[in-house]
Amino acid sequence: SAPYMDEYTPLGGGRLVVSPLTERCHLTLLAAFRLSMTGLLMGPSGVGKTETAKDLAKGLGKQVFVFNASPRMTCTSLGNFFKGV
């Protein structure tokens, strides 16, 4: 028999450090996901919002779309983003 060589370990390192805030974000996003809704993480730059969302998506085996919102964003531009235009 062949030895087990960590075949299912994700490439590129481990997971994020789980803090109370990370855990709260995960629980909130999971509740939204269970209700077939989406979630939004807001806050200052550089605090780990994107990495938190990516980590949760990796854990669920789902694809995540990340984009930076701005005051100039309109419904049309957001629609074009989701259409892939």
Side-chain angles (χ1 to χ4, degrees), residues 42-58:
M42 294 175 54
S45 60
V47 296
K49 298 177 299 291
T50 302
E51 293 305 316
T52 299
K54 286 180 180 179
D55 183 59
L56 180 62
K58 184 181 0 177

Side-chain angles (χ1 to χ4, degrees), residues 4-85:
Y4 178 71
M5 309 257 323
D6 294 327
E7 288 89 357
Y8 294 104
T9 303
L11 298 175
R15 309 244 344 229
L16 289 178
V17 174
V18 178
S19 69
L21 183 58
T22 307
E23 196 170 79
R24 184 175 169 190
C25 289
H26 282 180
L27 290 174
T28 303
L29 291 172
L30 283 171
F33 184 71
R34 185 173 180 187
L35 297 171
S36 300
M37 301 177 79
T38 59
L40 174 70
L41 299 176
M42 294 175 54
S45 60
V47 296
K49 298 177 299 291
T50 302
E51 293 305 316
T52 299
K54 286 180 180 179
D55 183 59
L56 180 62
K58 184 181 0 177
L60 293 173
K62 299 289 181 180
Q63 189 174 16
V64 64
F65 295 99
V66 178
F67 63 93
N68 295 320
S70 74
R72 297 182 300 163
M73 186 172 283
T74 64
C75 291
T76 304
S77 64
L78 189 59
N80 289 339
F81 174 81
F82 287 117
K83 289 180 199 173
V85 176

